[in-house]
Amino acid sequence: MDVEAVRTFVAVANGGQFQAAADELGISQQAVSKRIAGLERHLEVALLVRTSHGSRLSLDGQVFLPHAKKVLTAVEQAEHAVRPGSRPLRVDVLNRRIAPAQAVYRFYRSRPETNLDAVTMSQENAAQAAQAVLKGSADASFRALPADQVPAGISAERLLDAPVQLLVGPAHPLANAPAIRPADLAGHRIWVPGIRPGTEWSAFYEALSEEFGLSIDALGPNFGDEALMDTLADSASLATLVGAGDRYLWPQSHDLRRIPLHDPTPVYPHTLLFRTGDKHPVLTELRNHLRVTAPETPDDVWVPRWACT
């Protein structure tokens, strides 16, 4: 059924004149006649009775009119539901502890009226996340996707470089270091449980290991972040890597130490993936916010060669 024909029928029914309906809709009287005739052919009934004074509803037209109005209301509601800004911007932050989630949260705190929905598609790798954005499962996703793997229809903007830090317990030999070079970590065991093959963070750690000769492994069961903090607190040899903007909490008695890496400073290149041409106003606001509030990038940044620029 032609929605514009239904709209035209309602306009004629309300005004009783083809010309009045034409003026209201901004079309010619001939176009009004054609639309009504087409709708009547589709329904196989006469909706209007033409008179010397205009038109009046037939019995079938009287029955059809309230349904036609409901159709137009439903169409209007459907259009409004998908109009840019009418629904929440759905952003995949990957993990609620890490820098993207914290950045999106700060964005929301700065404008709490924002229509926003933060989700975690944590089981997807970067390529799958990009496809999910392309298909509309999310409006945007923070990922570290190689530039040559960004699919057509997706824009990638590197908006959040998170410096990587060493996290150790108080008995670790590097616990009191104010900062350390990545190359100086060679020979130390760095444990990052939960690394899944085929994910972007697996590719990041692999590139970091190869570049600086590090030993980064995911051996053993992953019992979660709290268990990792407990293990570090009791170990004189174990260390892990965390992002500078990642939010981890541990008991004060653990006395864990975050140690900056420099010369160079490895950063995790969080890249915002979104559909090219997406006009959602909150997406524009988020991108502008991240550009303005991004921390100053160190001069000695290291990122994998495959990272988006």
Side-chain angles (χ1 to χ4, degrees), residues 4-291:
E4 290 308 312
V6 175
R7 195 184 312 279
T8 303
F9 164 73
V10 172
V12 172
N14 288 339
Q17 298 284 339
F18 275 42
Q19 187 57 57
D23 294 340
E24 177 185 337
L25 299 173
I27 58 178
S28 67
Q29 184 174 336
Q30 183 181 17
V32 171
S33 297
K34 287 184 177 180
R35 288 181 180 181
I36 296 298
L39 182 60
E40 290 177 327
R41 283 196 301 273
H42 176 78
L43 296 173
E44 298 182 346
V45 296
L47 297 172
L48 297 168
V49 177
R50 282 69 170 176
T51 71
S52 58
H53 301 291
S55 299
R56 61 178 176 81
L57 293 174
S58 68
L59 289 176
D60 288 320
Q62 294 175 39
V63 171
F64 182 66
L65 180 59
H67 297 289
K69 290 181 177 180
K70 289 180 181 178
V71 168
L72 296 181
T73 299
V75 169
E76 182 179 349
Q77 291 173 341
E79 291 175 344
H80 179 76
V82 296
R83 197 167 291 138
S86 296
R87 60 170 180 78
L89 181 76
R90 186 176 172 87
V91 183
D92 167 38
V93 295
L94 183 61
N95 183 308
R96 298 190 187 279
R97 289 187 184 272
I98 63 176
Q102 303 309 310
V104 171
Y105 177 60
R106 289 191 295 272
F107 165 71
Y108 177 76
R109 286 288 300 271
S110 70
R111 35 176 75 71
E113 74 289 348
T114 299
N115 208 4
L116 180 69
D117 185 15
V119 299
T120 56
M121 297 191 297
S122 57
Q123 299 304 312
E124 309 285 347
N125 63 31
Q128 291 169 329
Q131 289 299 320
V133 171
L134 197 59
K135 294 175 182 177
S137 299
D139 295 297
S141 177
F142 283 94
R143 297 288 168 156
L145 185 66
D148 61 357
Q149 293 182 22
V150 177
I154 290 291
S155 295
E157 189 172 3
R158 199 170 111 198
L159 290 170
L160 190 61
D161 281 354
V164 175
Q165 297 178 333
L166 191 71
L167 184 65
V168 298
H172 194 280
L174 299 175
N176 296 316
I180 191 168
R181 299 186 309 148
D184 292 337
L185 295 177
H188 292 275
R189 185 190 171 199
I190 302 172
W191 187 41
V192 185
I195 300 176
R196 296 199 304 273
T199 58
E200 62 264 40
W201 52 95
S202 174
F204 175 83
Y205 288 130
E206 182 179 346
L208 187 66
S209 298
E210 292 177 355
E211 183 75 18
F212 300 105
L214 308 185
S215 175
I216 301 176
D217 67 58
L219 300 176
N222 177 19
F223 289 109
D225 296 329
E226 288 75 12
L228 173 60
M229 304 299 125
D230 294 342
T231 303
L232 291 175
D234 294 335
S235 176
S237 61
L238 200 61
T240 194
L241 296 173
V242 295
D246 297 355
R247 187 181 186 190
Y248 292 95
L249 302 176
W250 53 79
Q252 187 175 0
S253 59
H254 279 14
D255 194 21
L256 300 185
R257 320 287 176 84
R258 284 178 176 264
I259 303 171
L261 301 181
H262 73 116
D263 193 23
T265 299
V267 299
Y268 194 91
H270 292 290
T271 301
L272 189 66
L273 308 177
F274 54 94
R275 288 185 297 281
T276 302
D278 192 329
K279 298 184 184 303
H280 198 298
V282 179
L283 177 61
T284 301
E285 290 181 24
L286 175 61
R287 291 167 60 199
N288 290 336
H289 172 85
L290 292 172
R291 294 189 197 107

